[in-house]
Each structure stands twice: as structure tokens, then as C-alpha cells.
Amino acid sequence: MRWNEIVVRPADQSEFNLAGDVAVAAFSRLRPLLPEGNWPVMAKGIHFTTAEDSVGRLFVAVLGGEILGSVRYTGPGHGGHIIYPDSFAYIRAVAVSQAYARCGVGRKLTQACIDAALEDRAEAVGLHVAVANEAARNLYGKMGFEPYRDAPDYFGIPYTAYAIRFRESE
């Protein structure tokens, strides 16, 4: 795989369901950490966030027509989120096919969201990640994200919120 051949772009509506399937498969790595019975609920939520949610934009990473991963980006002015104020952009469901994990796809998807947040003149861009997902937390730290606040548990596992601040609140 050639890094420079991976294209991150807004998803076409026709790609939403496939991106949702890729995301569910990617998040299945968390399944062993979930309390009994929570995986079907989490899988449905991940697929909804990726494929059906009308809040924000879905970006996909593509190589030769294959969807390698996706991310849902929501710009500032979203009306508020349980974790992020209205002045923040936020990132949800960064997902990379297991076949392409640790190949830079997650970095490219996350960078596309950082670029969108800057273009949207957000105060900051935030994301939340499972505490147990050490690889993702390390990546986000290398990209400049810093701990922002505790996040609620999702599906029975602890999460932490991170943010990159572009400017102080007004």
C-alpha cells in the first residue's frame, strides 16, 4: 500500500452502509471488554453513527475503490453535545479496517477532521476514545490532542475526551 495513494474524501451516500460495516468490524476489537450483551447495542450504534446519522459529515479513506476506514465529523454550531460545547467541532467513530490498522489510515482520517475544524473556525476539535484503546490514544497524543475531560462510559467501558485547542473561548 502506498500512503500517498490513500484518498480521504466526503463519502457518497451510496457508501454509507459499507462504511458502517467496516466501522462495526473495526470496533469489534472492543467486544471482549464489553459487559455481556452490550456488543449488539454497540454495533448498532456504531453503524448508525457511521451510516445513518444526519449530524455532521462522513469522511472515508479509499484506496483503489476500497473503503479502508471512515470517520464522522461534526463542525461547531452543532447545538451542544454531552461532552463538547457548541464552539467545538468533534470527531466520532474513527474506524479503520483491521487489514489496514497501523498503516496511517486513522491518522489521515483524523487529520481530515482537524483540517475541517480549522476551516470551520472551531475553537477546538474534540474526540473521545475508550481508555483501553491504547493505540488510538497514542496516535491522538502524537497528533496534538490533549486530555480534555472525562467522558461518560459508553456501552459499559470507560472513555476519555481529548481536544486540540485552536484558540481560547470567547
Side-chain angles (χ1 to χ4, degrees):
M1 174 176 59
R2 293 189 190 334
W3 166 261
N4 61 349
E5 293 176 359
I6 299 170
V7 176
V8 175
R9 59 168 173 73
D12 294 326
Q13 183 76 34
S14 64
E15 297 171 314
F16 282 20
N17 277 325
L18 181 56
D21 293 344
V22 170
V24 169
F27 275 86
S28 71
R29 289 175 271 195
L30 296 177
R31 188 176 187 170
L33 305 175
L34 298 173
E36 181 87 23
N38 281 14
W39 172 245
V41 177
M42 183 177 191
K44 184 176 180 179
I46 294 296
H47 198 278
F48 174 84
T49 295
T50 305
E52 301 172 44
D53 198 340
S54 62
V55 176
R57 293 181 271 170
L58 182 68
F59 290 104
V60 289
V62 180
L63 178 65
E66 181 181 2
I67 294 176
L68 311 181
S70 63
V71 63
R72 176 70 63 177
Y73 166 80
T74 302
H78 46 74
H81 180 275
I82 192 169
I83 301 171
Y84 312 107
D86 194 50
S87 57
F88 277 39
Y90 63 94
I91 300 168
R92 293 181 293 155
V94 178
V96 177
S97 168
Q98 291 182 20
Y100 297 97
R102 300 182 198 260
C103 293
V105 177
R107 177 181 289 276
K108 282 191 119 172
L109 287 163
T110 305
Q111 188 61 54
C113 295
I114 293 168
D115 294 345
L118 285 165
E119 185 176 304
D120 290 344
R121 302 188 47 78
E123 173 187 331
V125 62
L127 55 80
H128 46 283
V129 62
V131 172
N133 192 342
E134 188 174 342
R137 289 186 303 110
N138 287 336
L139 169 64
Y140 301 140
K142 290 176 185 172
M143 294 184 75
F145 285 89
E146 296 180 346
Y148 171 61
R149 61 174 280 199
D150 289 335
D153 288 2
Y154 285 93
F155 309 104
I157 57 176
Y159 277 69
T160 299
Y162 294 84
I164 294 176
R165 290 189 179 271
F166 306 124
R167 59 183 170 78
E168 293 303 315
S169 59
E170 298 171 350

